[in-house]
Amino acid sequence: MGICGGQKNTDANSDKPGVIFVVGGPGAGKGTACAQLVKKYGFMHLSTGDLLRAEVASGSEKGKELQVIMSEGGLVKTEDLLLLVEAAMRKNGWAKSKFLLDGFPRNKENVVTYGEKLMDKTNLLGILYFELDQETMRARLLGRNEGRADDNEETIKKRLATYENETVPVVTEMDTQNKNVWRVNSGQTMEKTFEDTVVQVDKMLG
Ligand code: ADP
């Protein structure tokens, strides 16, 4: 699929930012884990959802287009998203930083387009995968009440379906291909989940 992980951040790659893909269903706790990882490792956290919501909030024409898709629980065009991602990386130190790309990839188009647009410019360190069953994800989303327009029963159903039908197969395929997928069970307490996350990240970077 054009994503060949496993390269290490060697001197030869020092002109490139390090990138860790962070995958997991809606409500799986990626955001919480990323915040903890930022503290421990000094990574920069880029949430695809936050980047897209910022574009929507800017009131741009593109933002209006994105909002329609997001409010329906669909996935936006990868090219639109990656333009925002690259701009955010350049604003945040580029090759001096290691980025947690939280919420990416979510479908095959994400993977293919990253391969075309950003793979050569970045150093993909690995894929961190937070696993959680659908029922717990649903309950967490309904309970978190952060005021997000897409945290309602109907859109949640659609986001969970998108996750199962598009994201899980793509992560499974990457795992088979490059063995650079690091799994964490996020159905545990926050502390234990983070402990396991650190073990996996250390192995990935090791
Ligand atoms: P979630 O809690 O569902 O993981 P996010 O905040 O990560 O929500 O994303 C919100 C919305 O932004 C998604 O439902 C989708 O419409 C869009 N989005 C986020 N990441 C991507 C991506 N990698 N590719 C396409 N669309 C995305």
Side-chain angles (χ1 to χ4, degrees):
M1 256 190 307
I3 291 279
C4 46
Q7 317 158 25
K8 298 295 174 208
N9 222 347
T10 59
D11 284 341
N13 282 319
S14 62
D15 57 332
K16 300 178 181 183
V19 174
I20 296 174
F21 290 165
V22 183
V23 187
K30 292 169 298 188
T32 307
C34 284
Q36 291 169 311
L37 288 170
V38 164
K39 269 201 198 143
K40 183 167 171 70
Y41 295 89
F43 297 142
M44 297 291 315
H45 180 204
L46 291 184
S47 150
T48 56
D50 287 349
L51 290 174
L52 292 165
R53 280 185 287 275
E55 186 63 28
V56 170
S58 79
S60 68
E61 280 309 308
K62 183 55 79 183
K64 286 178 192 144
E65 244 177 69
L66 298 173
Q67 183 170 32
V68 174
I69 299 166
M70 292 165 72
S71 65
E72 290 170 351
L75 297 175
V76 310
K77 243 177 53 202
T78 312
E79 268 198 69
D80 291 341
L81 172 62
L82 290 185
L83 283 176
L84 300 175
V85 167
E86 183 168 351
M89 284 185 185
R90 293 200 183 273
K91 231 194 263 166
N92 286 284
W94 190 241
K96 288 192 210 76
S97 304
K98 288 196 177 100
F99 293 92
L100 295 169
L101 191 51
D102 168 8
F104 193 93
R106 289 165 110 112
N107 63 3
K108 183 127 183 169
E109 188 199 287
N110 273 184
V111 175
V112 171
T113 310
Y114 192 95
E116 290 166 3
K117 305 277 179 195
L118 279 180
M119 198 62 189
D120 290 347
K121 296 185 194 172
T122 59
N123 184 18
L124 180 63
L125 302 170
I127 297 136
L128 194 55
Y129 181 21
F130 291 96
E131 295 186 288
L132 188 62
D133 63 278
Q134 288 254 349
E135 216 16 74
T136 313
M137 288 196 272
R138 212 180 132 270
R140 285 189 186 175
L141 286 172
L142 283 171
R144 76 181 175 189
N145 199 11
E146 287 171 350
R148 266 174 54 172
D150 58 353
D151 276 352
N152 60 73
E153 187 94 45
E154 197 179 323
T155 309
I156 287 172
K157 219 162 135 191
K158 182 80 198 302
R159 282 153 66 206
L160 286 170
T162 303
Y163 176 69
E164 284 306 320
N165 298 333
E166 301 195 40
T167 310
V168 173
V170 121
V171 179
T172 309
E173 192 174 340
M174 288 191 295
D175 200 8
T176 313
Q177 286 196 343
N178 60 33
K179 305 282 177 242
N180 201 8
V181 175
W182 303 87
R183 294 169 187 262
V184 177
N185 168 12
S186 55
Q188 314 174 88
T189 62
M190 223 165 82
E191 291 73 21
K192 180 69 175 99
T193 302
F194 187 59
E195 231 175 75
D196 290 2
T197 305
V198 167
V199 170
Q200 294 297 65
V201 169
D202 284 344
K203 278 197 238 164
M204 179 198 294
L205 299 178

